[in-house]
Every structure is written in structure tokens, then in C-alpha cells.
Amino acid sequence: MLWGLEVKPGRASPYVPPPEGHALHLVRATLDASAADGARCVLRVQMDGGTALVVASLRAGVHESVALDLLLEEYAEFTITGDASVHLIGNLVAQHPMDESDESDEEDEEYVPTPEEMQMMVDGGWMGLPESDEEEEESDEEDGWAHQRSNVVIEELAEEVPLPSKDDANRSGSKVVEVMEKKQKKKAKTKRSKADEKGEDAIAQGSRPSKRPQESEKEEVDGSASKERESKRGRQASADGSDKQAAKKKEKKQKKAAVEEDSPKAGPIQGSKNVRRYENGFEIVELQMGQPDGKLAQPGKKVEMRYVGKLKTNGRVFDQTKGKSTFKFRLGVGEVIKGWDVGVQGMRVGDKRRLTIPPQMAYGSSGVKGAIPPNATLTFDVELVHVW
């Protein structure tokens, strides 16, 4: 943001840092065109409570302009020794620039803090907002569809595993009998082989079990019935899982429709219900609503604002954005006073608010020399221009 100041002879010209935490980068000092040829001017700067330091020495017709590289982060006063004015040019820059590589244009979460959460932030600082219930619900739904078949079937089977019944016990007993009969059959074959060698065929024939075919047939029937029951359970579990997912999706659509129906329309706001007051004197007044689907100002997002700052006692304007100029900062990380971090949160693009900020959430007992007295309560009329 471009900054300029004309320093005139015979009086100090103050530089008051903006309350948003920016610093002044001076880049050039130029002698006024009305200076007489050969006239000499010396520019000095005095930091808060410090010694006046020479910044530049200019002479008309010889050395009328000089480049500077001076960064001021606090209150300062400029003075001139000579008979002509000096013009200063610079830029207001952020003290702590942030990396914007992680910025995203994704849609914002539909979350507005409750009065209890706002009170916690006013009393004890930023506590961190929970994630939106709707986002968690969407995440659960996506996971459910991604693994629908396997998860649902396993869960239902785990709940419906039956206890062993008499039939199961009988089948287990039949398997034991079958194993014993196989051993006896193998032993009988060995005996029959020996009987053939000795001519004892009758013993080999008498050793064959007579009930094996019937028991084998019974085991096959029982196995087929078990597989069919398990297949029915699986199909029933899949159907139940699909019904649950469909009901959950329908409930979510109904909830979303209800939220959209209750959303406020754009335009000025009236009535005391749009005023939030806190015990320490902090106050938020909703002046005008932007579009309901406008981007939401949340902690960590960069926001662009227009504002007018006044002293509450006498209404004197101590700072404001003019014309098309705006002010940008990252919300919720301490780049601005606490009253702004809390008061701007939850606004949507186009919203306008009036913030009444007590001294403990503004500049406290120190104030800002030449602009804001100690222990001053401030009012800001703010408008949210952009969020990214």
C-alpha cells in the first residue's frame, strides 16, 4: 500500500503506525520544487523516546532527491532543518508475510460459532473451532460407500453368529465317526492284503463297515444346508446395509434442505437480536448481511477488509481505508488486535459489522502515541470484501 508525507519546516510531522500491525518501508525523500537554488535541507527522524537521527541532506539544484531503505515499525517523528519542505514516499508492508502456497479455493465449511464459543474466545483467547458435523458426516458416508459390501457383511455376521445347536453337534459327531471309520477301513485293507496272501478272503470281506454309505450321504446333505443358510444370511446383511446407507443419505438431504430454508437473506439487519454483548464490554452488531453462500471468514484464512476506526468517547476517526484501498491479514493468528480476530470471525463476503472493542482487546494501557489514548475503547465499522 502506497504511503506519502510532506514534512514542513518548523514543526514535527508524526508517523502513526496502523493498528493492523504493518510497518512503513521508506524508499525516497525529495526536496520540494519551491526550494530556492542552493537551499539546503536536513531531514531527521526521531523514534519514540530516542535521539533524532539524520536521514538525508538535500540541496536545491544539486542533490534534490535521495533513495532510502528504512523500515519503521513504531511511532516516529520527522523534522526539517532548512526553509523548504521534503516529500517522503514509501510502502506499508506486513511485518510477518505468510506463505500462500497452502491456500485453497475449496468451498467453506458451513460453521458459525455459538455464543458460548465466542464467550470462551473473548475471555480466554482462541480455543480452536471443532470441525463441522456435516463434514464428518460426509467423510463417514464416503468411507461407508468405499467399503460398503465387506464392512456391512462382516459386521452383521459378527452380530448374528449362532450358538452351536443339536444338529451341529450331531454333525460334528458324524465327522468324528467318519474319521474313525476311515482308520478302520485302512486297517481292514491291510488285513485283507495279508489274508489274500494266506487265503483268508472271508476275514477281509467281513471287515468292511456296512453303515458308511448312509452316513456319508447324511453329511453331504447337512453341509449343503449349512452353506445355503450362510448364503441367505450374507444376502440379508447386504440388503440391511444398503437400507441403512439409503436412510442416512435421505436424512442428510433433509437436514441440508432445512438449513438452506432457514438461511438469512442478503440485506440490512434490524432488531436487538443481532447484537451480541459480552461482560468485558466487547460488542458485535450485525449491520448488513451479504450473500448467504458467500465465502466464510475462518481462522487461518486470509481476509480483505474495509473499515473506519473511531474513539468511542468522542467519535474521532483515528484510522480508515479510503477510496478503493483495503486491508489484508490472516485471521486468528495474532496479526491484528484481539478484538478484530474475534469480531471478524464468522463473517461472509459482503457482511458489515460494528465492533465495540474494550482496551484489553485493543491497545491496552499504552495506546498509540498521537492517535489512540491509553485505556481507550474503540469502535470499528468493518466490511468483508474477500476471503481466500
Side-chain angles (χ1 to χ4, degrees):
M1 184 185 298
L2 184 64
W3 178 92
L5 177 67
E6 181 181 1
V7 185
K8 297 181 179 181
R11 63 178 181 179
S13 298
Y15 160 68
V16 179
E20 301 83 11
H22 278 52
L24 172 62
H25 181 207
L26 284 177
V27 296
R28 184 163 294 276
T30 304
L31 194 62
D32 190 79
S34 63
D37 289 343
R40 181 170 177 265
C41 289
V42 177
L43 173 67
R44 289 182 173 85
V45 62
Q46 181 178 9
M47 308 303 291
D48 190 7
T51 304
L53 303 175
V54 176
V55 176
S57 179
L58 306 171
R59 185 179 295 276
V62 179
H63 194 65
E64 297 183 346
S65 182
V66 62
L68 302 176
D69 187 10
L70 183 62
L71 189 67
L72 299 179
E73 298 181 349
E74 57 186 32
Y75 178 84
E77 292 183 350
F78 296 95
T79 56
I80 289 292
T81 301
D83 298 326
S85 299
V86 173
H87 298 270
L88 300 178
I89 296 296
N91 295 295
L92 290 174
V93 296
Q95 289 176 304
H96 303 287
M98 301 293 291
D99 182 11
E100 300 183 4
S101 61
D102 59 343
E103 294 175 0
S104 169
D105 287 332
E106 296 179 356
E107 294 185 359
D108 301 294
E109 302 172 5
E110 296 292 332
Y111 180 80
V112 176
T114 64
E116 290 78 8
E117 292 168 336
M118 290 292 294
Q119 183 65 55
M120 289 174 63
M121 289 185 285
V122 169
D123 293 339
W126 173 243
M127 301 296 293
L129 292 174
E131 292 185 358
S132 164
D133 292 338
E134 184 175 348
E135 179 179 321
E136 292 178 2
E137 197 172 77
E138 290 179 357
S139 176
D140 292 343
E141 183 177 350
E142 290 174 359
D143 293 342
W145 284 110
H147 306 285
Q148 176 185 347
R149 186 174 183 81
S150 59
N151 284 350
V152 172
V153 172
I154 291 174
E155 181 182 351
E156 293 297 332
L157 287 179
E159 293 176 356
E160 297 183 4
V161 172
L163 294 173
S165 63
K166 263 187 178 181
D167 293 340
D168 293 335
N170 291 337
R171 287 198 299 271
S172 299
S174 299
K175 290 183 179 180
V176 173
V177 172
E178 181 182 0
V179 172
M180 294 298 295
E181 287 177 347
K182 284 182 178 179
K183 290 183 178 179
Q184 291 177 0
K185 181 179 178 182
K186 184 176 181 181
K187 186 175 180 181
K189 285 182 179 180
T190 303
K191 288 183 178 180
R192 185 180 62 181
S193 177
K194 291 181 179 179
D196 289 340
E197 294 177 358
K198 297 180 179 180
E200 297 179 354
D201 296 336
I203 296 175
Q205 293 175 358
S207 64
R208 295 179 182 271
S210 60
K211 295 184 179 180
R212 168 62 190 269
Q214 295 176 0
E215 293 175 355
S216 176
E217 182 179 354
K218 181 180 179 181
E219 180 66 25
E220 290 177 1
V221 171
D222 291 341
S224 298
S226 177
K227 289 180 180 179
E228 184 176 355
R229 283 194 295 273
E230 291 179 0
S231 176
K232 288 181 178 180
R233 288 195 195 107
R235 289 195 297 270
Q236 182 64 35
S238 298
D240 293 343
S242 299
D243 292 342
K244 288 180 180 179
Q245 292 291 345
K248 188 175 181 181
K249 190 172 182 181
K250 183 178 180 180
E251 182 181 354
K252 181 187 171 185
K253 287 182 178 179
Q254 292 175 348
K255 186 187 296 183
K256 187 173 181 181
V259 170
E260 290 177 354
E261 184 177 353
D262 295 338
S263 297
K265 300 294 186 282
I269 298 177
Q270 298 178 356
S272 59
K273 67 179 181 179
N274 298 301
V275 179
R276 286 176 281 170
R277 296 186 178 91
Y278 300 88
E279 294 180 359
N280 64 351
F282 182 61
E283 181 179 284
I284 299 175
V285 180
E286 303 286 352
L287 299 178
Q288 179 172 314
M289 295 291 287
Q291 294 300 323
D293 57 351
K295 287 192 174 182
L296 185 68
Q298 302 176 89
K301 294 282 189 179
K302 290 201 71 173
V303 296
E304 184 176 1
M305 310 291 297
R306 292 192 183 97
Y307 67 92
V308 177
K310 302 177 183 179
L311 300 178
K312 184 178 180 182
T313 54
N314 56 16
R316 180 173 64 85
V317 176
F318 62 86
D319 190 24
Q320 63 181 321
T321 55
K322 297 180 180 180
K324 295 183 179 180
S325 63
T326 57
F327 168 62
K328 306 178 184 69
F329 69 98
R330 192 176 294 274
L331 183 62
V333 298
E335 288 188 2
V336 293
I337 58 176
K338 188 175 180 180
W340 269 55
D341 267 342
V342 177
V344 174
Q345 179 191 328
M347 294 181 70
R348 293 189 178 276
V349 172
D351 285 1
K352 294 182 180 180
R353 287 180 178 178
R354 176 168 295 149
L355 310 178
T356 301
I357 304 176
Q360 62 267 34
M361 297 181 70
Y363 295 95
S365 59
S366 60
V368 176
K369 187 175 180 181
I372 301 174
N375 298 314
T377 298
L378 311 177
T379 62
F380 285 92
D381 288 347
V382 297
E383 177 185 0
L384 182 59
V385 178
H386 185 54
V387 177
W388 69 99

